[in-house]
Amino acid sequence: MRIERIELRLLRLPLVRFFETSFGRVYDRTFLLVTIEEDGAPGYGECVADHNPFYSYETTVTAWHIIREFIAPVALGRAFEHPRDLFGALRAIRGHNMAKAAVEMAAWDLFARQAGVPLSRALGGTRTAIESGVSIGIQDTLDELVERVEAELEAGYRRIKIKIKPGWDVEAVERIRARLDGIPLMVDANAAYALDDAPHLARLDRFDLMMIEQPLDYDDIADHARLQQQIRTPICLDESIHSVRLAEEAIARSACRIINIKPGRLGGHQQSIRVHDLAAERGIPVWHGGMLESGIGRAHNIHLSTLPNFSLPGDVAASRRYYAPDLIDPEIVVRPDGTITVPEGPGIGVHVVADRIAAATLERVELT
Ligand code: OSB
Ligand code: MG
């Protein structure tokens, strides 16, 4: 493929409902949309970098800068045999995985469209439907939390994840368990604790949680290994796993028993497949994380989730939980059995609504 044109847009969409993590509460989502083109055929990629550098150091502004000044010249400069070659071609750029991923994923979409196959097939996926879970943010009250958990179970979701932070953890889980014993339940701390909190986190052990996601700092594999020796609940790493090498290190040091895969964090589909394969080899289950994506990024996530070692429900939920309307039509729906059907058309296989994108656009640039 030869990428002839890259369009970069900065978009803002209001969230259907606020989302609160240990980083704070948000009411809307700002992100970049990358559209690439060859012979008039498009490829779409969503950059999951946020307005602020809280989840990762990347922001919409750094991603814009890195794509425009450094990634686009490489991507536009030569023909690629396969989208899997793009990440390696960007090696000289250190980090900035979210910026790289947006362009790489757009290239995969274009590649699959040109081949006339669904992206899932191009990625090596095998499923026709994926299992959906939900991530429920911190609420104003524990009563509201329990209500939301019940509503999502009612909608069919196959596992519930709640966000935790100091002051909103053991009691929150206790309240849910008191009412809904036995449901598949997990927690995500987004790095809100320190190793000294181990005795406190061990109080979660009696609730039979599927896992605790990223309890400690984003760059701390050593302390996660120490923590895992002090708690029974399996640790899952999200923020800490930026590369195949870090995944290997975390597994080797027993810093986690499960890995959350987000292509934005890892630099795209190719690196995600490599972490997926490595984890499979080492007997570590993976699941697909979410970054409050619009339907475009969400469609990518669905396709990647069709690989066989995505053996736990992901944070890949229905459009209506996030954006109404979504940027795609029809929107992504979760069936009453808690699964999402994988789109069958070429590429990401969803129809992108141009005027909704135009309406949400704050800035736009075209690179050739
Ligand atoms: O840690 O998984 C996370 C959203 C934004 C940033 C980080 C995370 C999340 C979520 C939401 O948990 C997942 C989703 O529903 O998209
Ligand atoms: Mg997480």
Side-chain angles (χ1 to χ4, degrees):
M1 67 168 67
R2 181 178 280 282
I3 302 172
E4 293 161 349
R5 198 180 73 93
I6 298 177
E7 182 198 64
L8 206 50
R9 284 175 186 264
L10 174 68
L11 274 69
R12 182 170 300 143
L13 285 177
L15 285 164
V16 166
R17 198 166 178 279
F18 71 81
F19 188 69
E20 185 172 330
T21 66
S22 59
F23 312 134
R25 184 177 286 195
V26 292
Y27 296 87
D28 54 33
R29 181 76 164 96
T30 311
F31 58 96
L32 306 186
L33 180 63
V34 173
T35 309
I36 63 171
E37 227 179 79
E38 178 177 20
D39 295 330
Y44 297 100
E46 182 168 331
C47 180
V48 299
D50 211 332
H51 167 72
N52 57 53
F54 299 163
Y55 171 86
S56 99
Y57 64 82
E58 291 188 82
T59 67
T60 50
V61 174
T62 69
W64 184 280
H65 165 64
I66 295 292
I67 293 172
R68 186 174 177 163
E69 306 298 331
F70 300 103
I71 296 176
V74 175
L76 291 165
R78 61 167 156 118
F80 289 89
E81 215 161 290
H82 195 281
R84 76 167 76 89
D85 301 332
L86 202 54
F87 185 83
L90 299 171
R91 248 195 77 123
I93 303 165
R94 291 190 182 171
H96 296 282
N97 281 344
M98 292 176 176
K100 291 173 182 173
V103 176
E104 194 248 19
M105 292 163 82
W108 276 94
D109 179 29
L110 175 60
F111 174 81
R113 278 173 206 265
Q114 289 177 333
V117 301
L119 177 59
S120 58
R121 176 116 43 97
L123 293 168
T126 49
R127 300 189 178 100
T128 55
I130 64 152
E131 286 191 289
S132 185
V134 274
S135 175
I136 300 178
I138 293 163
Q139 307 294 316
D140 288 327
T141 66
L142 292 177
D143 283 338
E144 276 173 86
L145 175 67
V146 174
E147 263 169 47
R148 296 208 74 78
V149 171
E150 285 181 316
E152 303 294 13
L153 288 168
E154 195 79 21
Y157 288 102
R158 298 237 175 148
R159 71 94 170 99
I160 301 291
K161 153 170 147 183
I162 64 161
K163 292 291 189 180
I164 59 167
K165 65 175 182 181
W168 183 273
D169 47 27
V170 178
E171 216 185 319
V173 172
E174 193 166 32
R175 282 286 293 275
I176 295 169
R177 275 291 184 238
R179 183 115 179 183
L180 301 158
D181 195 27
I183 63 159
L185 181 65
M186 60 171 288
V187 295
D188 185 359
N190 288 114
Y193 298 90
L195 187 59
D196 288 347
D197 296 316
H200 178 70
L201 294 173
R203 292 176 59 206
L204 292 170
D205 282 344
R206 68 188 170 96
F207 298 110
D208 198 26
L209 299 174
M210 298 166 77
M211 68 195 89
I212 178 171
E213 186 179 345
Q214 196 70 40
L216 309 180
D217 227 351
Y218 72 97
D219 60 350
D220 194 346
I221 286 179
D223 277 352
H224 278 106
R226 294 183 189 107
L227 178 64
Q228 186 66 91
Q229 294 182 336
Q230 298 175 56
I231 64 174
R232 261 203 349 260
T233 307
I235 292 177
C236 168
L237 290 178
D238 172 357
E239 281 94 320
S240 290
I241 309 295
H242 294 279
S243 65
V244 179
R245 193 177 297 146
L246 283 167
E248 192 157 23
E249 184 183 336
I251 295 169
R253 296 173 78 166
S254 301
C256 65
R257 295 186 191 147
I258 300 168
I259 291 176
N260 163 327
I261 289 183
K262 292 178 180 172
R265 199 190 63 227
L266 289 164
H269 283 310
Q270 180 56 26
Q271 298 309 104
S272 299
I273 293 169
R274 289 187 58 201
V275 171
H276 165 278
D277 292 352
L278 170 78
E281 220 172 83
R282 307 285 157 91
I284 299 287
V286 303
W287 55 276
H288 205 300
M291 291 292 290
L292 309 178
E293 288 93 342
S294 81
I296 295 167
R298 194 165 299 281
H300 273 283
N301 297 349
I302 292 169
H303 286 281
L304 182 59
S305 302
T306 62
L307 272 70
N309 192 39
F310 282 93
S311 50
L312 296 163
D315 280 347
V316 185
S319 293
R320 56 185 292 188
R321 293 190 73 250
Y322 306 87
Y323 308 105
D326 201 336
L327 298 177
I328 59 165
D329 188 46
E331 62 191 72
I332 287 157
V333 294
V334 168
R335 298 184 295 205
D337 71 349
T339 63
I340 297 174
T341 307
V342 180
E344 285 172 347
I348 56 174
V350 295
H351 172 67
V352 173
V353 185
D355 53 348
R356 291 187 195 157
I357 289 173
T361 298
L362 304 174
E363 254 180 274
R364 178 182 171 275
V365 68
E366 217 176 290
L367 313 165
T368 51

